[in-house]
Structures are given as structure tokens and as C-alpha cells.
């Protein structure tokens, strides 16, 4: 009897010593504190005065309130580059155009005029140049194209009005953009050749923030012509106008490279979220982690990722907006910038 008792006591002591069958609670990690305190330096940071080093974080869970920070395999990295508007001098009136690699390395400021406003950049289809708008005087903004290799910028327009959101067509021959005519409060979608010639209006009613479909046959834009701001689609010449669903959006959207999806943002001001939806407007659903006022999304060239601007670290702070990427299902959130100024209006390209 005593031998049997001693046997079972020995088994129990062995189990306790090895923690067999017992689990240790995993402490919860606060998402925003993690982003702020645990962001690693990019693998090959490039510093160009007066910018900051770009950094990245990796979050594996989709839209959680808490998440662990881990680095994905090196073979699973996003490709391409992202251009965006960077308020390097602390004010929209002196914002610049910057570029960064999709893995968070290679930060570079592109524009060099410290006292002028620059905004709405986008990369050419071949990735060799960037188009953007820059302030001239009064309510006049001009459109420029800059060669990335040389840094040489060419002015394409001359006093057409308040221009913005230029984007080069997939075949590289034309540019669409938004025009606010002088002495009016109406924006319309315009078209011109790649050289800036033959500029003319193509939208039948008010609209702005246009983007080409992958095949160049259609244009997606936003308009408040029928009431609250909605997405609309038309032929590239303005024909066959259709509203895309009923989602009340906040602004600029983008097509997926395969033409099957649209990404945009919606929600109350100060509380926006990134949405993905079918091209007919159906199946709209949030993909961004909540709480950052997420806006201005754009697809990666391979259609697997979305870039956007958000303020996860300091919600409500106008200077806290940074550039983030995530997979199209909302997982694997990564921060690419970390500055004391606002980074916004990102567009992904080659």
C-alpha cells in the first residue's frame, strides 16, 4: 500500500516540475503602444535631410485590438515604391513629394522648393517618373512630371486653374486630373496628353480624384452631384456614367490591378476606415484596423497589398498621420514612416 502511494506521489511531483498539462497565460499587447515603442529600424535606412528614417512594423493578425510584433519571412516582402505627400515643414502650404520603397527603405524627398505646396503624386506605369500638382499663385496649381533618375521636373500645364490628383494612363499616353475652375467651387475631371496638350473636360458633372482602370478604358472618381459623396465610373471619354454602389465615401479610391476590386475609404470625419468592394459596389467591407482614421488607400502593383495613411499612434493629432501598408484582408499591418509631421496621399507603383 505504501509503495503504491509513494509511486503516485512521485508521478505527481514529476508533472509539477515539468509543467505538463499546464499553460502560462500570454500577456496582452496593446497595438498602439507596440507601434510606438517597438518599431524596428528598416533594414537599409536611407537618410536625406531634412527627412526622418523610415521604419516598419509587422502585425500578423487582421484588425485586432491587440497584436504581437513579428517579422515575416524575407521572401514575403512587398515590392515596388510608394510616392506620397510629406508635410516636412509642418504645414500643408509647404508640403513636398516624397518616395519610399514598399519595405520601408530608401526614403527620398523628390521636390526641392521649400516654400511651395506640392500634393497628389502618382507614379508612371513604368515607375520612371512621378506626376504631381504644385501651387503657383492665387488658386492656380500646375501639374508637373519629374524623372526619378535625374530629378528634372517639367511643367505640363499653364494656368488652367486649380489642378490636382494627376494620373498617367496605363498605356503612358494621357493624364487625367481634377480641375477647379477659377472663380467657381466646382471640380470636374479633365484629360490631356502626356505632354500637357489638348486639355479638355471629360466628366459631365462635378467630380474629382480620378483614377484609371487597369485597361485604361474607364475612370473611377468621386462626386457629390447626387448628394452625399459617392463613387462613380465612366468611360475614359466621360460616356456610360454609373454610380458605383451606395457607400458614402470620404474621397479617393483605386482599382485593383486585375480590375475586380475597388479600395476606398468611408466613415465620419475623423473616424474613417479603409473599405474594399466589388467593382459594381457590392460586398463593401472594412479591412483597416480600427482607431486610426484611415484614409486614401491604393493597391500594390501585384494586388496583394494596400497602402494608406492613418494616425494609430496619436489619434486626433493632425501631425500623427503616417504611411501604412496591409494585406487586402486587413492582416499584416506595417508602418513605413515615423515622423513628427503628416505623411498622406500615398500611391503605390513600380
Amino acid at each position: 500500500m505504501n509503495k503504491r502511494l509513494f509511486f503516485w506521489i512521485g508521478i505527481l511531483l514529476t508533472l509539477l516540475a515539468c509543467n505538463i498539462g499546464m499553460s502560462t497565460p500570454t500577456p496582452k499587447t496593446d497595438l498602439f503602444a507596440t507601434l510606438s515603442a517597438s518599431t524596428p529600424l528598416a533594414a537599409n535606412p536611407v537618410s536625406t535631410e531634412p527627412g526622418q528614417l523610415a521604419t516598419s512594423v509587422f502585425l500578423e493578425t487582421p484588425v485586432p485590438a491587440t497584436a504581437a510584433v513579428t517579422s515575416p519571412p524575407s521572401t514575403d516582402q512587398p515590392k515596388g515604391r510608394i510616392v506620397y505627400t510629406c508635410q516636412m515643414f509642418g504645414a500643408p502650404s509647404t508640403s513636398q513629394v516624397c518616395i519610399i520603397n514598399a519595405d520601408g527603405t530608401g526614403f527620398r524627398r523628390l521636390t526641392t522648393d521649400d516654400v511651395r505646396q506640392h500634393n497628389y503624386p502618382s507614379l508612371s506605369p513604368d515607375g520612371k517618373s512621378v506626376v504631381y500638382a504644385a501651387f503657383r499663385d492665387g488658386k492656380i496649381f500646375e501639374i508637373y512630371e519629374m524623372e526619378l533618375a535625374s530629378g528634372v521636373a517639367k511643367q505640363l500645364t499653364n494656368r488652367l486653374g486649380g489642378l490636382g490628383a494627376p494620373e498617367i494612363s496605363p498605356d503612358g499616353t494621357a493624364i487625367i486630373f481634377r480641375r477647379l475652375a477659377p472663380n467657381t467651387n466646382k471640380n470636374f475631371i479633365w484629360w490631356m496628353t502626356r505632354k500637357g496638350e489638348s486639355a479638355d473636360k471629360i466628366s459631365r458633372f462635378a467630380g474629382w480624384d480620378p483614377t484609371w482602370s487597369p485597361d485604361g478604358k474607364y475612370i473611377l472618381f468621386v462626386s457629390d452631384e447626387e448628394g452625399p459623396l459617392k463613387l462613380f465610373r465612366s468611360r475614359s471619354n466621360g460616356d456610360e456614367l454609373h454610380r458605383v454602389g451606395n457607400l458614402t465615401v470620404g474621397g479617393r479610391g483605386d482599382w485593383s490591378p486585375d480590375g475586380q476590386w475597388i479600395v476606398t475609404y468611408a466613415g465620419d470625419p475623423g473616424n474613417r476606415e479603409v473599405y474594399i468592394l466589388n467593382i459594381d459596389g457590392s460586398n463593401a467591407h472594412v479591412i483597416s484596423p480600427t482607431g486610426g482614421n484611415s484614409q486614401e488607400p491604393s493597391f500594390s502593383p501585384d494586388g496583394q497589398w494596400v497602402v494608406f495613411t492613418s494616425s494609430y499612434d496619436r489619434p486626433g493629432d493632425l501631425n500623427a498621420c503616417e504611411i501604412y501598408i496591409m494585406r487586402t484582408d486587413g492582416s499584416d499591418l506595417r508602418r513605413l514612416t515615423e515622423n513628427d509631421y503628416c505623411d498622406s496621399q500615398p500611391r503605390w507603383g513600380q
Side-chain angles (χ1 to χ4, degrees):
M1 185 70 172
N2 288 338
K3 289 183 179 180
R4 183 175 300 174
L5 177 61
F6 289 146
F7 172 78
W8 287 112
I9 289 174
I11 293 295
L12 178 61
L13 289 174
T14 301
L15 289 173
L16 290 174
C18 299
N19 289 322
I20 296 176
M22 302 178 69
S23 62
T24 301
T26 302
K28 293 184 177 180
T29 304
D30 181 80
L31 171 62
F32 307 137
T34 297
L35 288 173
S36 177
S38 302
T39 305
L41 287 176
N44 298 297
V46 177
S47 176
T48 49
E49 191 277 331
Q52 303 283 331
L53 292 179
T55 56
S56 303
V57 293
F58 309 109
L59 302 173
E60 291 188 329
T61 51
V63 201
T66 61
V69 179
T70 59
S71 296
S74 59
T75 57
D76 190 26
Q77 298 297 329
K79 302 297 191 298
R81 292 171 294 176
I82 296 163
V83 288
Y84 59 98
T85 300
C86 42
Q87 293 181 15
M88 308 184 76
F89 304 107
S93 60
T94 54
S95 57
Q96 304 295 311
V97 173
C98 294
I99 191 169
I100 195 171
N101 294 331
D103 64 0
T105 64
F107 167 86
R108 183 157 60 107
R109 174 186 170 187
L110 297 179
T111 51
T112 58
D113 190 335
D114 294 351
V115 299
R116 274 207 301 167
Q117 181 179 2
H118 309 72
N119 56 30
Y120 283 111
S122 64
L123 283 159
S124 61
D126 60 10
K128 294 182 179 180
S129 65
V130 57
V131 287
Y132 58 91
F135 176 76
R136 179 167 179 170
D137 56 58
K139 294 184 178 180
I140 303 297
F141 278 73
E142 305 292 1
I143 292 175
Y144 292 79
E145 181 171 4
M146 176 187 291
E147 292 182 354
L148 293 178
S150 66
V152 174
K154 178 182 179 182
Q155 182 178 323
L156 302 180
T157 58
N158 186 26
R159 293 191 175 278
L160 280 178
L163 312 183
E167 188 173 281
I168 299 172
S169 60
D171 66 4
T173 63
I175 296 175
I176 50 171
F177 57 96
R178 177 264 299 164
R179 177 180 184 257
L180 174 64
N183 304 317
T184 75
N185 290 317
K186 285 279 191 178
N187 287 282
F188 292 90
I189 309 302
W190 277 53
W191 174 99
M192 65 182 178
T193 68
R194 180 77 172 268
K195 296 180 179 179
E197 301 169 337
S198 306
D200 200 2
K201 182 175 71 174
I202 61 174
S203 59
R204 299 208 305 265
F205 61 47
W208 58 96
D209 290 357
T211 185
W212 296 94
S213 64
D215 60 9
K217 295 180 180 179
Y218 293 91
I219 292 172
L220 181 74
F221 62 96
V222 297
S223 176
D224 60 0
E225 191 77 14
E226 295 183 352
L229 198 62
K230 304 288 185 183
L231 290 171
F232 287 84
R233 182 183 74 241
S234 74
R235 285 278 184 178
S236 59
N237 61 3
D239 292 341
E240 298 182 21
L241 179 68
H242 298 284
R243 190 178 69 213
V244 180
N246 292 311
L247 186 66
T248 298
V249 299
R252 205 175 197 187
D254 194 21
W255 301 78
S256 63
D258 62 5
Q260 299 301 306
W261 299 90
I262 290 170
V263 68
T264 187
Y265 64 102
D268 297 330
N271 192 31
R272 311 285 198 189
E273 300 294 351
V274 174
Y275 282 73
I276 195 168
L277 54 150
N278 296 330
I279 58 171
D280 63 359
S282 63
N283 193 27
H285 57 281
V286 174
I287 60 171
S288 56
T290 59
N293 191 30
S294 301
Q295 304 181 64
E296 301 165 340
S298 171
F299 277 106
S300 62
D302 63 6
Q304 301 302 306
W305 300 82
V306 171
V307 63
F308 61 105
T309 184
S310 194
S311 304
Y312 288 120
D313 290 329
R314 304 189 306 278
D317 185 342
L318 295 178
N319 291 319
C321 38
E322 305 287 356
I323 305 301
Y324 291 80
I325 63 172
M326 62 184 169
R327 297 186 187 274
T328 53
D329 63 359
S331 66
D332 207 354
L333 178 69
R334 310 183 183 191
R335 181 177 58 199
L336 300 188
T337 64
E338 185 179 16
N339 302 298
D340 58 1
Y341 54 79
C342 181
D343 295 318
S344 62
Q345 299 174 345
R347 296 305 261 190
W348 206 323
Q350 300 289 346

